[in-house]
Amino acid sequence: MLPEFEPKLSAPDFAGWFGARAPEMGFGAYALEIGFGGGEHLAAQAKAFPEIGFIGCEPFLNGVAKLLGQIEAEGLTNLCVHHGDARDVMAAMPAGVLGQAFLLYPDPWPKKRHHKRRFVNRENLDSLFRVLMPGARLLVATDIADYANWTLAEIKKHGGFVWRARQRADWLHAPSNWPGTRYEQKALAAGRVPHYLEFTRRETILPGAL
Ligand SMILES: C[S@@+](CC[C@H](N)C(=O)[O-])C[C@H]1O[C@@H](n2cnc3c(N)ncnc32)[C@H](O)[C@@H]1O
């Protein structure tokens, strides 16, 4: 199934990434999930929102296979699956096409000398800013408090996204109808606390603003 579901990056328009599965007029909106793991969240979102075209990226082959199994079982058609790095997909994407991007439980890289490997960084925020449209939603979930602080610091430095949270409940409660992820289940079982950091893409970049 993978060749059929890999995004057709050379298609003349963005809907063409979905090949013959794209509706004639394209999807109503588009969303990206970076590092979907076993694809539980992505498959649930695609099922709940058939009018949205979802693009999922994951280098871990067993996770890709697991998602394809869910796609087949549910008969989902509004998805593209990239077996590989999300950075390559964002680089190939036209500007301003996405209404949402999900980065759920990115690898925490806890050692200080590995922090530079964290997905939330200047370069990837630049790419996300480019492919998200103004007003689009960026959701970063993490169970590592240091990664949550890191994310807020990087977002503030970047200045392309607004964080609308005002109280603890805003980042400690999952968004409504949240399907969860496999990693999240493990984190909860281990007593760790998920943080849901929800951002809105600004019209223009204001470095230092959150
Ligand atoms: C801790 S796991 C979380 C998986 C899933 N989001 C979940 O919550 O169950 C992080 C995932 O990000 C993937 N990943 C890491 N770097 C990536 C990249 N550059 N592009 C796409 N996925 C990436 C890893 O392969 C891994 O599956």
Side-chain angles (χ1 to χ4, degrees):
M1 287 171 71
L2 186 55
E4 186 194 334
F5 279 84
E6 270 283 354
K8 317 276 174 289
L9 303 184
S10 56
D13 59 6
F14 187 49
W17 278 31
F18 293 76
R21 298 185 311 287
E24 208 176 320
M25 306 296 285
F27 288 97
Y30 294 91
L32 171 72
E33 184 166 339
I34 297 164
F36 58 72
E40 299 81 7
H41 171 269
L42 185 54
Q45 289 276 2
K47 189 176 175 190
F49 299 100
E51 71 284 7
I52 298 179
F54 288 87
I55 300 121
C57 307
E58 176 54 66
F60 173 52
L61 184 58
N62 287 356
V64 172
K66 199 155 179 254
L67 173 64
L68 291 171
Q70 296 168 84
I71 290 175
E72 190 174 32
E74 299 282 355
L76 301 171
T77 55
N78 55 329
L79 283 157
C80 277
V81 183
H82 176 58
H83 172 218
D85 197 318
R87 291 172 295 184
D88 299 335
V89 167
M90 289 195 288
M93 216 173 250
V97 285
L98 295 178
Q100 297 183 83
F102 298 98
L103 177 63
L104 308 178
Y105 303 97
D107 294 320
W109 296 111
K111 292 188 182 142
K112 199 160 185 184
R113 69 175 191 278
H114 291 153
H115 282 183
K116 56 182 175 298
R117 299 185 191 175
R118 288 178 165 177
F119 195 89
V120 176
N121 62 29
R122 171 88 218 183
E123 199 184 336
N124 291 337
L125 290 177
D126 273 344
S127 299
L128 282 163
F129 184 84
R130 192 183 72 78
V131 295
L132 288 163
M133 61 182 69
R137 173 187 189 220
L138 167 64
L139 182 66
V140 181
T142 179
D143 58 321
I144 309 293
D146 180 60
Y147 204 115
N149 287 333
W150 168 276
T151 299
L152 294 174
E154 288 294 310
I155 292 265
K156 185 167 193 273
K157 255 191 287 172
H158 183 270
F161 302 87
V162 184
W163 187 42
R164 296 201 188 279
R166 287 292 166 266
Q167 49 193 359
R168 271 171 64 80
D170 294 338
W171 66 84
L172 291 178
H173 291 167
S176 51
N177 302 319
W178 183 244
T181 79
R182 191 170 42 151
Y183 182 90
E184 183 175 83
Q185 288 309 319
K186 285 192 201 160
L188 287 166
R192 295 193 299 270
V193 179
H195 298 58
Y196 305 93
L197 305 176
E198 192 155 349
F199 305 99
T200 304
R201 192 254 203 217
R202 285 184 204 279
E203 287 276 345
T204 50
I205 295 183
L206 292 175
L210 190 63

